[in-house]
Structures are given as structure tokens and as C-alpha cells.
Amino acid sequence: MAVLADAASALALAGLPDSPAACLAQAQQLAFARDRLISAITARVERVHRTGHARTHGHASTRTWLQNACGTSRVSASHLVTIGTQLARLPTVRARFAEGTLSEGQVNAICTAIKDLADEQTPIAEQILTDLADHATPEDIAKAGRYLRDVLDPDGQHKDDDADHDKRFLRVRPTGSGGMQGEFRLPKEAAARLKTWLDTYAKPKADNDDRPLRVRNADALTTLLETKITTELLVLVNAESLPTDHPDPDPTASNGSADDTNCRAEDHLEEDRRQPGTQSETPEEEQAREPSKLRWKVPGLLLSTGQLLSHADVDRLARTSTLMRLVMDADGQVLDMGRAVRLATKIQRRAVFARYSTCWIDGCPLPATMCQIDHADNWIDGGLTNLRLLGPACQFHNRDRYRHPHRYQRRREGKDRWAFTYTPRPQNHPPQPPTTTPQTATTATTANDTPPDRPP
């Protein structure tokens, strides 16, 4: 044993071969040797566990002995005890593991499959699974083992289902920036639904999509929440921090939709907003209304969590939600209300879904019916909510194109249809315009369950 330990230490301290091919070959040999060592370790751990000898050395259990004396983690200690205990019931598997015809992964799959079977059922399962192991991966063995256990022990499946259901949990905690993180465990039916969702809308990767799978999973879950859950958010913002509407530069180009008509009417109402006896304009407000003067934007406040929202987030919310504007004085009294941002109408949304089957970013698989409605032309630069300039964008691409418009190239796809190609290399683009000066008014923004619409 001492010679083996010295040889392992010398090998660990030795330098690496210069050739990657030599490293590959040696790694395979070392993995084979590691499996043989694990076979020897589990046999000895089983003997210690069966006799309870760890307690004579002052340890509460075999697992605590492995953790304290051998330096293993709690998970690794439990794994070694489980494998050793099950191999004692599987003479064929134990022999093949020691001689090297079964890998640790295959042995682990077999031991997991038979651990709840009765002693008289174990030889049947062992023969079937060891024969399968000659031409199957550990994952295939695990699937076959679950099926075999259901056949041999139908009552055990019900017990497992109940235990799995009883162990379900969802723990969440806030992040420092106001987001949320956590862990969860789902029963197999709910897990299958989630896996199907993620496999469909997160696992496929569009061309030039540099998001890792964990980020695509998060974006797919965000989309599910946006499309299935109605949420109202109250946001307190400075009135001048809201984006301003842009008049239609060419009224003849409008498609006559209700959105365009309403927005022009709202622009007129905005000019006559202040009623006699409410509050006169201050010099700062007069300066804010002057387009040639600079105005500052300040953060908003998300009242439900107390988190601050950047002016970019305020802009996005104002353009992707139904906005109810409440103008208040210094005492908190409402002066006026009733402005809605420019959103696609229900008829326009149906027409967009008829024109597009998926997100209009190349390679994105999310169906159009689960996307947000996006503007082909920047609304902030005067783009219109005309049907021919609307299209579907998934939550990730909608937000990303809003923040990084220079990453996307637009092209025409037939009459009044558009597509965008993601270009990861940044291109030169003009600097952002200066922000605006503050005003004393406050507003409340309400986000509804309608898939939002915002300018890029």
C-alpha cells in the first residue's frame, strides 16, 4: 500500500508530457487505474461499514469516518458506502469491476437500479444489466434499470413517486441587484414538462448566439413567466425620465391603426395637460419643454422591492408595458393621469403572428405567438407602430437589440416582412444623446400580461 501511495504521489508531481496526444493516452490509462482503485476502496469501505468498525475509532458512522479521516465530501462518502454495500450483493458486477470490464459509471448505474430490490430479485436484474453493459452507456443502463425495477417491483415505483413528491421544494432569495436566485427540486412529471420546455426553446442554439445554455435556460423561463403570468409593477419615476413620443413624420405613411391615432391624440392632450388651479410650469419645466436644452434622467424606484431602476430600464418598461401616468405635486396629490404608450393593437398582433412563425432573429426557435412585438425601425428615432414595420422578437433578442442595436443587421424577407442577422462583432455607431434635466412630477408604470412592445 505504501508503494502504491508513493507511486501515485510521484505521478501527480511529475511534469506533463509536451504532446497533447500523449496526455490523452495517459489520461485514459489513469482513468482505468482509478476505477480499479475505486473498486478496491469500495470493497474495504463495505467491510468497515458492515462490521461497524469506524465507531471503535471514535467516529459516529462510516460516512463521518470517510469525511474526517479520508477527507471526502459528504456526497462522496455516501456514494462510496452505497456502492460498496450494493456490490456485496452483486458478485458478477463486483468481479467485472475489479478486472476492468465495467467502468465506474456503469457500476454506479447498476447499483442504483437494484438498491431497492429484494435479494431474490437482485440476481435477475444483475444478469440483464451486466449483459446490457457490454454495449451500452451508463445513461442507457440507468434507463433500463428504472424500467426493470418497475417491472420487478411495481410497489416500489409508487413509493419512489411519493418520496420524490414529498421532497419537492423551491428556495429563492434576492440578489444584490434586486433579481432572484435559488434552487429547486421537482417531481418527475413536472420535471418532464420543464425539460420539454427547455429542450424546445432553450437547447437549440441560433447561429452566432453566444449565450451559454444556462443563460438560454433562464431566458426561456423568463419567456414562460411573461406569457403565462399577469403581473402589475408599480414604478415611481421622474416625469422627465420617461421617453417622449415622436410625431408621425409622414402622416400618409400611417396604416391608420388605432395605435397611431391614439398616440397623436395623446400628444395633443399632453400639451394641454395642466388644468387651471393645479400647478403652473416652473422655470425648470419650461427649460425641460425646450428641445434645445439638455435634460437629466434619474433612476426609477420599483416599489415592490425598493430597488432602483436605471433610466434605460425605465425607457424599456415605458415602451413594453401599459403605462398609467399619475402626475403628482410635492404633497403627493395627483394632478392628472391617463397616458398610454404606443403598443401594437390586438389586430396588429394577430397579423404579425400570421406573417411570422418564429422570432425574426435568424435561427431563434421561439414561436411568434410567444414573442414580444418589436419595431423594425427605432421608435426612439421616430419609427412608427405600423403593421409593415412590426414583427416578433423573443424576450432575449428584444432586450438585446434594444441595448445593442449595432449587433443586428436588418434585411427584407418578402413584402413587408423583415429578418435580422446577429453580428457579434461590434460596429461603429454614434454616441448616445445626452440625458435630460429633472422635473418634480412622478409617474406609475403598470406592466400587464400583454407580451410587451418596445423600440429597439
Side-chain angles (χ1 to χ4, degrees), residues 315-328:
D315 283 357
R316 179 175 54 82
L317 276 178
R319 294 185 173 100
T320 61
S321 308
T322 296
L323 181 70
M324 182 64 71
R325 187 171 195 152
L326 306 177
V327 181
M328 307 179 206

Side-chain angles (χ1 to χ4, degrees), residues 190-205:
R193 295 178 187 274
L194 180 60
K195 183 178 185 302
T196 300
W197 172 267
L198 296 177
D199 286 348
T200 304
Y201 300 120
K203 193 172 183 179
K205 188 175 182 179

Side-chain angles (χ1 to χ4, degrees), residues 13 34 95 107 151 187 209 266 275 310 349 363 373 381 396 425 443:
L13 296 173
R34 178 205 59 189
V107 170
V151 173
D209 187 348
E266 288 157 14
Q275 303 298 326
S310 68
R349 291 182 58 80
I373 300 300
D381 296 327
F396 163 71
R425 178 177 297 179
T443 64

Side-chain angles (χ1 to χ4, degrees), residues 121-429:
Q121 297 169 329
T122 300
I124 302 174
E126 180 185 26
Q127 182 62 48
I128 295 174
L129 294 177
T130 51
D131 290 344
L132 177 64
D134 291 332
H135 49 80
T137 64
E139 290 76 16
D140 294 333
I141 297 172
K143 292 178 183 178
R146 288 192 293 270
Y147 175 79
L148 188 60
R149 194 188 62 175
D150 291 346
V151 173
L152 295 175
D153 184 19
D155 294 336
Q157 180 60 40
H158 296 301
K159 295 177 182 178
D160 286 347
D161 289 344
D162 291 341
D164 197 30
H165 186 269
D166 292 341
K167 292 178 181 178
R168 71 194 186 281
F169 71 89
L170 173 64
R171 287 192 293 263
V172 296
R173 55 188 178 275
T175 64
S177 61
M180 188 172 289
Q181 63 183 3
E183 307 84 30
F184 68 92
R185 173 171 174 161
L186 297 176
K188 64 181 181 182
E189 182 178 344
R193 295 178 187 274
L194 180 60
K195 183 178 185 302
T196 300
W197 172 267
L198 296 177
D199 286 348
T200 304
Y201 300 120
K203 193 172 183 179
K205 188 175 182 179
D207 295 339
N208 296 323
D209 187 348
D210 56 358
R211 293 175 296 162
L213 180 59
R214 66 181 186 276
V215 176
R216 299 200 304 275
N217 283 341
D219 289 342
L221 181 59
T222 300
T223 299
L224 179 63
L225 295 175
E226 287 181 346
T227 56
K228 297 298 182 182
I229 299 177
T230 301
T231 304
E232 183 177 272
L233 299 177
L234 190 64
V235 181
L236 189 68
V237 300
N238 182 285
E240 293 304 328
S241 296
L242 287 173
T244 56
D245 281 343
H246 295 266
D248 190 341
D250 181 10
T252 61
S254 173
N255 66 351
S257 68
D259 276 2
D260 293 317
T261 303
N262 289 340
C263 285
R264 286 194 292 273
E266 288 157 14
D267 290 339
H268 177 70
L269 290 175
E270 179 67 12
E271 296 175 359
D272 299 332
R273 209 162 37 86
R274 302 188 178 277
Q275 303 298 326
T278 55
Q279 180 177 331
S280 59
E281 286 189 339
T282 64
E284 291 80 5
E285 291 170 336
E286 291 178 353
Q287 178 181 351
R289 289 170 61 85
E290 187 67 35
S292 61
K293 304 294 179 62
L294 298 181
R295 296 180 296 174
W296 294 99
K297 292 184 177 181
V298 296
L301 179 65
L302 189 59
L303 295 184
S304 61
T305 62
Q307 296 292 330
L308 292 178
L309 294 175
S310 68
H311 69 81
D313 286 331
V314 171
D315 283 357
R316 179 175 54 82
L317 276 178
R319 294 185 173 100
T320 61
S321 308
T322 296
L323 181 70
M324 182 64 71
R325 187 171 195 152
L326 306 177
V327 181
M328 307 179 206
D329 59 17
D331 297 326
Q333 299 298 315
V334 176
L335 300 179
D336 61 56
M337 58 186 291
R339 172 183 170 84
V341 298
R342 186 177 301 181
L343 294 175
T345 65
K346 291 183 179 180
I347 296 177
Q348 286 176 319
R349 291 182 58 80
R350 294 192 191 103
V352 168
F353 298 154
R355 290 184 174 188
Y356 297 87
S357 59
T358 62
C359 171
W360 62 359
I361 306 300
D362 287 343
C364 183
L366 197 72
T369 53
M370 302 184 66
C371 289
Q372 302 170 355
I373 300 300
D374 195 7
H375 287 79
D377 291 328
N378 294 353
W379 184 39
I380 195 171
D381 296 327
L384 303 176
T385 312
N386 290 349
L387 179 59
R388 61 186 178 84
L389 296 174
L390 297 177
C394 71
Q395 178 268 343
F396 163 71
H397 284 121
N398 197 350
R399 184 185 182 95
D400 192 62
R401 198 167 78 88
Y402 170 61
R403 292 190 169 187
H404 309 287
H406 55 282
R407 293 181 179 177
Y408 296 85
Q409 294 294 317
R410 187 178 77 180
R411 70 179 186 278
R412 185 179 292 274
E413 291 279 315
K415 184 179 180 181
D416 295 341
R417 290 184 72 253
W418 306 92
F420 289 84
T421 300
Y422 177 80
T423 55
R425 178 177 297 179
Q427 300 177 358
N428 294 330
H429 55 287

Side-chain angles (χ1 to χ4, degrees), residues 56-68:
T56 64
H57 287 262
H59 300 284
S61 66
T62 306
R63 292 177 175 82
T64 57
W65 161 65
L66 288 169
Q67 292 177 250
N68 298 332

